[in-house]
Amino acid sequence: MSSADWPLWEVFVRSRRGLSHTHAGSLHAPDAAMALRNARDLYTRRSEGVSVWVVPSAEITASSPDEKDSYFEPAADKPYRHPTFYEIPEGVRHL
Amino acid sequence: MTTMAPDAGTQDDAAYEARFNAAVAAEERIEPRDWMPDAYRASLVRQIAQHAHSEIIGMQPEANWITRAPSLRRKAILMAKVQDEAGHGLYLYSAAETLGTSRDELLDRLHAGRQKYSSIFNYPTLTWADVGAIGWLVDGAAITNQVPLCRCSYGPYARAMVRICKEESFHQRQGYELLLALSKGTEAQHAMAQDAVNRWWWPSLMMFGPPDDESAHSAQSMAWRIKRHSNDELRQRFVDICVPQAESLGLTLPDPDLTWDEERGHYAFGPIDWDEFREVLRGNGPCNEQRINQRRTAHEEGAWVREAATAYAAKQAERSRHGYRAPQDQQQGDTQEEDIA
Amino acid sequence: MNPAPASAALALGDDALVLSHRLGEWAGHAPVLEEELALANIALDLLGQARVLLSLVGDEDELAYLREERAFRNLQLVEQPRGDFAHTIARQLYFSSYQRLLYEELAQGDTAIAELASKAVKEVDYHRDHAEHWTLRLGDGTAESHQRMQQALDALWRYTGEAFEPIEGLAVDWATLRARWTDRITTVLRQATLTLPNGPQSGAWAAGGGRQGVHTEPFGRMLAEMQHLHRSHPGATW
C-alpha cells in the first residue's frame, strides 16, 4: 500500500465573502476531513480565502474537448440573448 | 481529474496535430483533456516533474539552517520560505498529474534516480550566509527562468507558475536583505557573505542549463511554446541584473572577466566550468547522495503514517455504509465547506 | 491594560518557542508533502506567539539566544526530541489541548497576555484539531500505527502533570483546567481506540521542574544548536 491510495481532490476557494468559489488546484488526502485541512494549509496561507470546498477529482464529470463545437458554438449565433442586441430610443431610462 | 484520450480513429492524428499546432501558434492554452502529441506530453511531464523535484529537494539545504537561524525574525522567515517550497512542489506535482502521471510514480522515479532535480541543490549550505546567497542568486536565477513559464502553452503548468512566481518574489528579497545585513555588519559577517557569494555565483549561472548549441531539448520546447527564451539569453539577462545588485550589496562577484560590453549592451563574463556541471549532474556533486537519501528516508519512514490514514478512511467508509459514523466526522460528506474566518 | 506578569509571559513564551523549534526539525522529513505544510503552519503560529510573549519581558533575541538552560521556563514536554510522527502527534495532542483550554481562560483577563491569548486561541484551536484528527487516524488506522501511537502517548504521559502546576501571576483554576484537559484527552483516545496512559503524571517518578528551570538532557543539546551562531558573533545584528 502506498500514498497512491490517497485520492486526488480538487480545491475551490472563496477569496472573500460575496464571491464564488474558484478552482485553486488539487492535492492528495486520505479522506474529506483531511482534504479540507490540507486545502486550508496549502491554498490559504497568505489569506487567500474565507471558505474552502474540496471535491474528489474522480467525481467530476467534464465535457469533452471533442464536443467543444457542438456544445459551445451554437450559443455564439444567438445575439438576441444579450441586452446590446436591442435598440431603445434615446431618453428612455431605467431599461 | 481523469484524463482521457479522445477516441482514436474518429479523426486521424494528423488532423489533431494540425489543430494542436494551430492552437499553440495562436497562443491558445492547451488544457488537460485536449489532444496533444505524445512527445509534448512526455516532455512536459519530464520538465514539470524535474521542477517539482527541485522544489522539494531544494527544501533541504535551507532547512539545514532553520534550527540555527540567528534571530527569531530570520527563523520565521526561513521556516515560511521552506514551507513555500513544499507548497510549490505540491502545485507542480498537481500540474504533472493532469497529464496522467501520479505523484507517487514521479516520486518513485526521483527516489530511483531516474528523474533529475536542479543540480544546484547538490551544493552544501556551509554558513548562514548561504541562506542569503540561495535567496538572492538561486531564487533569482529560478525567477528569471520561471517568469516566461507563466506564459507556457500548457495551461495547468502556466497557472502553477503564476502562483509560484507571485510567492517567490519574497524569497529573493529576503535573501538580498539577509546578505545586506551581513555585508554591512561586522567584519566576520561581511567575510561570511562574500564567501557565500563566491561559492554560489558559478553554480547559479549553470542553473540556466548548457549553452544553446548543446542543449538537447531546447529547440522543440521553444517550438511548443513551453520555453520562450534560450538558456544563454536567460543567463545573460540574469548576469545583467546581478552586477548592479552586487554593487549595492557591497560584495563582489568572483569573475575577473566580468566587464561591461558597450557594443552588445550587456555584461561579458568568463567561461563557465561545464565539466563541473556535468560531474554534478552525473551524481558526483558534494551532496547528491545525501539529498536523495534524506528524501528516500523521509518517504520510507512516512509509509506507515500514510497507510494508517488510508486504513482509517476505509474503515470510516465501511462504517458509514453500515449507518455508523464516528461522532467527529458526522457532518462531513464528500463535498465539504468550512468557514475559515 | 495591566502589564503582563513577566514570569507568566516567560513560561508561556518559552513553551511556544521551544515547541516551534522542535516542529521546525520536521522540515524536509514529513511523512507526506501535505504534512510539511501543516507542521510548518503550526510551528510558525507558535513562533509568532513566542515573539509576542518574550517581547513583553524584554528583547526577544536576547531572551531566546543568550539565556542559559536553567533560565528557560518551558515545560519539559515541549523540549523532548521530536521522535517519530506518532510522538509528535502525541505531544501536539497533549500540549495543544492544554494550551487551548489555558488560552481560552487567559483571554478573559485584561493584561497584555489576554490580548495575545484571544488571538492565539484561534490558532491553537486548529492545532488541536490537527492533533485530534491524526490521533484518530493513527490510533484507529493499522496495527502498526496503533502500537506506535500508544507507545508515544505512554512515553510522554509523565511530562503532562507539570503543565498544571500554577504559573506565578496567572489567575487560573488549575484543578478545573486539569479536569477538563483529562476529559478531552480521554474522549479522543477512546474514540481512537487508544488507552489513556495510567502511569504517574507527576511526583517522585514523573518528570517536572521545567517551570523552575530544571530541564532534561536533550534540551541542552537543542539550545546549543539553536544559540551557537548568535552567540558566536556577540553584538552582531542579523
Side-chain angles (χ1 to χ4, degrees):
Chain A
M1 208 189 290
S2 71
S3 65
D5 300 317
W6 281 22
L8 196 64
W9 302 74
E10 299 300 323
V11 179
F12 299 81
V13 177
R14 184 201 295 287
S15 57
R16 56 189 165 82
R17 306 193 77 83
L19 296 181
S20 309
H21 286 77
T22 340
H23 186 237
S26 62
L27 49 75
H28 287 272
D31 53 44
M34 293 304 265
L36 202 52
R37 282 152 185 85
N38 292 346
R40 177 264 194 192
D41 283 329
L42 179 60
Y43 288 104
T44 70
R45 63 192 193 288
R46 285 180 170 79
S47 314
E48 294 96 332
V50 294
S51 162
V52 203
W53 287 348
V54 291
V55 181
S57 307
E59 295 296 317
I60 290 178
T61 310
S63 63
S64 154
D66 270 7
E67 292 156 353
K68 196 173 73 160
D69 295 349
S70 60
Y71 266 56
F72 306 117
E73 265 190 32
D77 65 353
K78 296 181 180 61
Y80 45 82
R81 288 192 196 276
H82 300 278
T84 47
F85 181 75
Y86 303 93
E87 274 181 43
I88 301 296
E90 221 155 289
V92 178
R93 299 171 64 206
H94 304 301
L95 201 67
Chain B
M1 206 185 298
T2 45
T3 53
M4 279 186 301
D7 280 349
T10 50
Q11 235 176 321
D12 59 12
D13 278 6
Y16 274 122
E17 184 141 17
R19 204 156 66 174
F20 169 86
N21 287 334
V24 169
E27 293 288 337
E28 274 182 40
R29 294 286 172 265
I30 305 300
E31 294 296 341
R33 288 161 57 88
D34 291 335
W35 184 93
M36 60 186 87
D38 289 343
Y40 176 82
R41 184 184 298 273
S43 182
L44 274 171
V45 169
R46 184 185 54 79
Q47 183 175 336
I48 301 174
Q50 185 168 325
H51 198 160
H53 299 332
S54 301
E55 294 284 356
I56 62 166
I57 295 279
M59 296 169 72
Q60 290 182 32
E62 292 177 279
N64 183 34
W65 283 92
I66 287 179
T67 53
R68 293 178 285 173
S71 75
L72 298 186
R73 175 174 176 270
R74 291 286 172 203
K75 188 171 182 159
I77 292 169
L78 185 56
M79 263 203 247
K81 177 173 190 270
V82 173
Q83 182 197 38
D84 269 353
E85 278 148 19
H88 296 173
L90 272 167
Y91 301 153
L92 288 162
Y93 285 121
S94 294
E97 286 192 271
T98 62
L99 292 159
T101 315
S102 76
R103 191 206 298 178
D104 253 40
E105 273 173 77
L106 297 175
L107 284 176
D108 284 347
R109 286 181 207 169
L110 169 66
H111 297 153
R114 285 187 293 123
Q115 267 178 348
K116 301 214 176 304
Y117 53 88
S118 178
S119 274
I120 192 83
F121 301 117
N122 291 317
Y123 291 89
T125 47
L126 301 177
T127 71
W128 169 250
D130 290 37
V131 173
I134 289 186
W136 176 42
L137 295 174
V138 176
D139 292 330
I143 291 171
T144 308
N145 258 329
Q146 288 168 359
V147 167
L149 285 173
C150 296
R151 293 184 295 128
C152 159
S153 60
Y154 187 58
Y157 191 25
R159 289 191 288 274
M161 291 319 306
V162 169
R163 193 180 276 271
I164 289 172
C165 284
K166 236 194 278 175
E167 298 184 352
E168 200 118 305
S169 55
F170 118 68
H171 295 185
Q172 195 189 9
R173 289 179 80 123
Q174 67 83 32
Y176 194 81
E177 190 207 64
L178 191 164
L179 284 178
L180 192 62
L182 294 179
S183 179
K184 295 192 159 158
T186 65
E187 213 171 298
Q189 284 178 306
H190 182 89
M192 192 194 281
Q194 184 62 59
D195 169 60
V197 169
N198 291 350
R199 281 182 289 110
W200 288 93
W201 173 249
W202 289 107
S204 300
L205 293 191
M206 296 177 196
M207 282 176 70
F208 296 93
D212 292 346
D213 47 13
E214 291 169 32
S215 177
H217 306 285
S218 277
Q220 182 62 74
S221 285
M222 302 263 279
W224 278 332
R225 312 271 165 110
I226 296 174
K227 219 173 142 136
R228 298 272 170 175
H229 307 280
S230 80
N231 293 354
D232 286 333
E233 260 173 67
L234 291 169
R235 189 166 13 244
Q236 181 68 60
R237 186 181 295 178
F238 178 67
V239 172
D240 290 347
I241 291 171
C242 286
V243 174
Q245 288 179 349
E247 278 168 22
S248 305
L249 272 179
L251 298 171
T252 57
L253 296 170
D255 180 358
D257 298 329
L258 200 58
T259 46
W260 176 251
D261 181 340
E262 191 69 57
E263 207 172 303
R264 287 195 307 126
H266 290 292
Y267 282 94
F269 51 95
I272 293 172
D273 183 355
W274 291 111
D275 287 340
E276 175 181 319
F277 176 75
R278 277 183 289 269
E279 276 305 306
V280 179
L281 202 63
R282 215 172 280 150
N284 300 323
C287 301
N288 296 60
E289 213 165 312
Q290 177 188 333
R291 300 284 186 245
I292 206 72
N293 280 345
Q294 181 182 326
R295 182 86 266 301
R296 229 183 263 143
T297 307
H299 192 71
E300 284 163 11
E301 286 180 353
W304 70 270
V305 177
R306 299 191 298 274
E307 284 163 17
T310 303
Y312 177 81
K315 285 184 197 178
Q316 287 295 92
E318 185 65 22
R319 283 167 194 154
S320 75
R321 262 196 296 282
H322 292 91
Y324 165 83
R325 299 198 111 180
Q328 194 128 31
D329 288 347
Q330 256 165 14
Q331 281 130 36
Q332 291 157 358
D334 274 348
T335 303
Q336 299 204 342
E337 177 170 17
E338 187 163 283
D339 280 331
I340 285 168
Chain C
M1 196 187 303
N2 293 320
S7 53
L10 213 51
L12 303 179
D14 285 348
D15 280 350
L17 176 70
V18 172
L19 184 54
S20 162
H21 183 96
R22 286 301 192 194
L23 286 170
E25 293 174 352
W26 274 103
H29 298 273
V32 65
L33 267 180
E34 279 81 358
E35 207 51 35
E36 293 278 359
L37 276 289
L39 293 170
N41 271 346
I42 297 172
L44 284 168
D45 284 344
L46 288 166
L47 185 51
Q49 295 165 16
R51 295 180 66 190
V52 173
L53 287 161
L54 294 182
S55 298
L56 296 176
V57 183
D59 178 83
E60 59 175 36
D61 285 336
E62 259 181 62
L63 288 164
Y65 292 99
L66 299 177
R67 268 183 300 161
E68 297 296 321
E69 182 180 333
R70 289 299 301 268
F72 277 82
R73 291 289 177 264
N74 54 282
L75 298 170
Q76 293 181 352
L77 174 67
V78 296
E79 74 201 30
Q80 298 311 306
R82 69 170 167 87
D84 69 359
F85 191 68
H87 274 77
T88 285
I89 293 302
R91 166 160 57 199
Q92 286 304 113
L93 179 71
Y94 288 155
F95 185 76
S96 63
S97 305
Y98 160 75
Q99 203 191 11
R100 172 69 180 73
L101 292 167
L102 179 60
Y103 277 31
E104 189 183 350
E105 277 206 39
L106 297 180
Q108 313 301 322
D110 63 349
T111 63
I113 287 186
E115 195 184 359
L116 177 272
S118 60
K119 177 179 170 285
V121 78
K122 290 176 219 148
E123 299 170 351
V124 178
D125 202 47
Y126 192 83
H127 305 173
R128 183 177 65 178
D129 175 83
H130 174 264
E132 290 183 347
H133 270 279
W134 270 114
T135 301
L136 287 175
R137 280 155 187 78
L138 299 185
D140 195 13
T142 62
E144 180 183 4
S145 71
H146 178 91
Q147 183 242 331
R148 281 180 186 258
M149 189 63 199
Q150 188 64 57
Q151 209 167 34
L153 288 164
D154 292 346
L156 294 173
W157 181 251
R158 67 200 179 101
Y159 298 104
T160 55
E162 190 193 354
F164 305 99
E165 283 167 26
I167 297 173
E168 195 194 322
L170 294 186
V172 171
D173 179 351
W174 296 95
T176 307
L177 190 75
R178 181 180 205 137
R180 291 177 66 199
W181 180 87
T182 309
D183 269 359
R184 181 97 190 182
I185 300 287
T186 308
T187 309
V188 175
L189 295 191
R190 187 182 304 133
Q191 207 179 320
T193 72
L194 293 158
T195 314
L196 190 74
N198 58 8
Q201 265 176 302
S202 58
W205 300 279
R211 296 278 187 240
Q212 287 78 49
V214 179
H215 295 279
T216 54
E217 284 186 353
F219 190 50
R221 233 166 280 121
M222 191 203 106
L223 285 185
E225 183 174 340
M226 185 175 104
Q227 297 182 334
H228 100 268
L229 177 59
H230 185 99
R231 285 180 180 241
S232 303
H233 298 262
T237 43
W238 300 94

